[in-house]
Amino acid sequence: MDASSALLMTLGAAALLISWILLLIVSWKDDYAWGLFSLLLPPAGYTYGLFRLDKAGQSVLLAVLGWALIYLGW
């Protein structure tokens, strides 16, 4: 793995972590149960984000960007 791949994968992982934290904040503010589901089951949290794009659109977009960076670094 060269340096550019490592950088892209690190930035992608950081973007995914930040998007999950943003999604946790939004889901806790909206409903306690969704916040708990998002904490314990991150795929369920992103499902919530897809259905509530008006509130969680930024975190979903950041997660897509993170996955794209990881894919480019692969």
Side-chain angles (χ1 to χ4, degrees), residues 25-56:
I25 293 169
V26 169
S27 61
W28 278 113
K29 284 183 181 179
D30 190 33
D31 188 18
Y32 174 77
W34 274 115
L36 194 58
F37 277 126
S38 298
L39 180 65
L40 298 176
L41 298 168
Y46 284 109
T47 304
Y48 162 78
L50 288 175
F51 285 114
R52 298 299 305 254
L53 282 176
D54 56 331
K55 293 184 177 181

Side-chain angles (χ1 to χ4, degrees), residues 43-71:
Y46 284 109
T47 304
Y48 162 78
L50 288 175
F51 285 114
R52 298 299 305 254
L53 282 176
D54 56 331
K55 293 184 177 181
Q58 289 179 341
S59 61
V60 172
L61 184 63
L62 191 59
V64 169
L65 176 70
W67 280 113
L69 288 172
I70 288 175
Y71 178 74

